[in-house]
């Protein structure tokens, strides 16, 4: 409940703090570059290019996950992408790219709007809260062996990773992805249209639209707290052991020497109960 209230308050607060123009259009466009499209693309290439490089080559938007068999962190490419971190990345790239594009085009370092601060702050709040929930679930699930759903299998690809929880693809994650995608694209399209019309560059969402973003974020966090619960821990341990054994059969390998005592103990216990 506290995550729900915090998210709705943060995003819908734009109506309270909304202001008018951040820079008067009459002076903002006095000394513009002759190539608006090149300036906009420059902003997106600089921020987005560096961002995408980090996105695919570092743990920037990936969960920390552990191999159930060895209890060691998975290699980077095997870690699942995180929806919470991806949402923060999405809004960071969009807002900073637009901000830089305006500066390149007008040579004016315009003030950002309150809604932009709320969008970035909301993304940061979702990312931070998601990380805190992950840490709590690690402590609850990794005593015997890593058994969170993020640990059982390696990354299934970006889209499936951010859309899936322990039950598979989920409607609340799908809703959150679609809503953020629509609003992000609308922000960029409105930004370009405003530059062409020589009006204040950054669009302002309706208070109800900001509230919708908040509700979506709150729903994601609320459902995330119910993931990896103790009532499904045994089922996830069974799935982890089965996944390890399946990989060994596919690779035709014996149990590696690095296999932990914890994993062997859990596997033995589950076998004695006829569960694997």
């Amino acid at each position: 409940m506290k995550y729900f209230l915090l998210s709705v308050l943060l995003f819908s607060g734009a109506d309270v703090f909304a202001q008018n123009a951040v820079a008067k259009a009459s002076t903002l466009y006095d000394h513009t570059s002759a190539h608006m499209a090149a300036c906009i693309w420059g902003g997106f290439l600089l921020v987005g290019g560096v961002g995408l490089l980090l996105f695919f080559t570092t743990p920037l938007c990936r969960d920390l996950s552990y191999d159930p068999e060895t209890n060691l962190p998975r290699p980077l490419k095997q870690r699942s992408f995180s929806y919470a971190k991806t949402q923060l990345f999405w809004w960071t790239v969009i807002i900073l790219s637009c901000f830089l594009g305006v500066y390149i085009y007008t040579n004016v370092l315009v003030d950002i709007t309150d809604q932009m601060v709320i969008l970035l702050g909301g993304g940061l709040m979702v990312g931070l809260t998601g990380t805190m929930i992950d840490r709590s679930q690690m402590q609850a699930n990794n005593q015997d062996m890593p058994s969170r759903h993020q640990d059982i299998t390696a990354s299934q690809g970006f889209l499936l990773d951010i859309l899936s929880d322990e039950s598979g693809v989920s409607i609340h994650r799908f809703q959150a992805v679609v809503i953020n995608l629509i609003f992000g694209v609308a922000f960029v399209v409105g930004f370009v249209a405003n530059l062409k019309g020589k009006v204040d560059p950054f669009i302002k969402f309706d208070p109800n639209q900001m509230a919708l973003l908040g509700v979506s974020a709150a729903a994601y966090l609320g459902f995330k707290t119910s993931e990896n619960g103790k009532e499904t821990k045994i089922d996830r341990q069974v799935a982890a052991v089965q996944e390890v054994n399946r990989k060994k059969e596919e690779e035709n390998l014996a149990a590696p020497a690095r296999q932990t005592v914890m994993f062997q103990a859990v596997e033995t216990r589950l076998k004695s109960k006829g569960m694997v």
Side-chain angles (χ1 to χ4, degrees):
M1 177 59 71
K2 63 181 179 180
Y3 298 132
F4 178 85
L5 294 176
L6 181 60
S7 299
V8 173
L9 178 63
L10 183 60
F11 281 94
S12 61
D15 185 40
V16 178
F17 297 104
Q19 299 176 349
N20 291 324
V22 297
K24 292 182 179 179
S26 59
T27 59
L28 178 60
Y29 297 98
D30 284 350
H31 304 286
T32 58
S33 168
H35 306 286
M36 185 188 74
C39 295
I40 296 173
W41 276 110
F44 274 88
L45 287 175
L46 286 172
V47 177
V50 173
L52 286 175
L53 178 64
L54 296 174
F55 185 87
F56 287 108
T57 60
T58 73
L60 185 71
C61 292
R62 292 180 185 262
D63 282 318
L64 177 61
S65 60
Y66 293 85
D67 188 326
E69 188 176 18
T70 64
N71 205 24
L72 296 173
R74 286 187 179 275
L76 175 64
K77 296 298 184 181
Q78 294 184 13
R79 299 181 189 179
S80 299
F81 285 96
S82 163
Y83 166 77
K85 294 178 181 178
T86 300
Q87 184 200 41
L88 175 58
F89 175 83
W90 172 248
W91 284 109
T92 298
V93 168
I94 287 175
I95 290 176
L96 294 186
S97 296
C98 292
F99 182 73
L100 180 59
V102 172
Y103 177 71
I104 296 173
Y105 179 51
T106 66
N107 200 32
V108 175
L109 198 63
V110 297
D111 294 334
I112 62 175
T113 66
D114 293 313
Q115 283 193 355
M116 292 165 67
V117 174
I118 291 171
L119 287 169
L120 282 176
L124 183 61
M125 184 275 295
V126 172
L128 178 60
T129 306
T131 299
M132 293 171 59
I133 294 172
D134 284 336
R135 296 291 183 183
S136 175
Q137 292 177 352
M138 284 182 192
Q139 294 178 358
N141 286 278
N142 290 11
Q143 296 174 353
D144 296 331
M145 58 178 278
S147 56
R148 298 178 307 137
H149 73 86
Q150 296 96 322
D151 301 318
I152 295 174
T153 58
S155 172
Q156 303 177 70
F158 171 70
L159 190 59
L160 279 179
D161 285 349
I162 65 172
L163 289 177
S164 301
D165 57 18
E166 63 182 337
S167 300
V169 175
S170 59
I171 184 62
H172 66 277
R173 284 176 177 255
F174 174 75
Q175 180 197 71
V177 169
V178 171
I179 288 175
N180 278 276
L181 182 63
I182 291 173
F183 278 81
V185 171
F187 188 95
V188 175
V189 172
F191 165 75
V192 174
N194 287 351
L195 283 185
K196 289 181 178 179
K198 295 188 181 299
V199 295
D200 303 314
F202 303 120
I203 70 170
K204 295 180 177 64
F205 293 120
D206 179 88
N208 288 335
Q209 294 172 334
M210 294 295 290
L212 179 61
L213 282 168
V215 169
S216 173
Y220 162 75
L221 292 174
F223 278 104
K224 185 173 178 62
T225 59
S226 65
E227 294 178 10
N228 299 310
K230 61 181 180 180
E231 64 278 1
T232 60
K233 185 175 181 179
I234 294 296
D235 293 334
R236 283 182 278 108
Q237 287 182 337
V238 170
V241 172
Q242 290 175 338
E243 177 66 15
V244 169
N245 290 335
R246 182 190 65 80
K247 287 171 58 180
K248 287 192 296 187
E249 289 176 1
E250 285 183 354
E251 299 170 2
N252 196 26
L253 296 174
R258 67 179 185 279
Q259 191 177 69
T260 64
V261 174
M262 288 190 301
F263 177 86
Q264 293 173 350
V266 171
E267 183 180 30
T268 300
R269 185 177 74 246
L270 295 176
K271 283 183 176 179
S272 68
K273 296 180 180 180
M275 301 179 73
V276 294

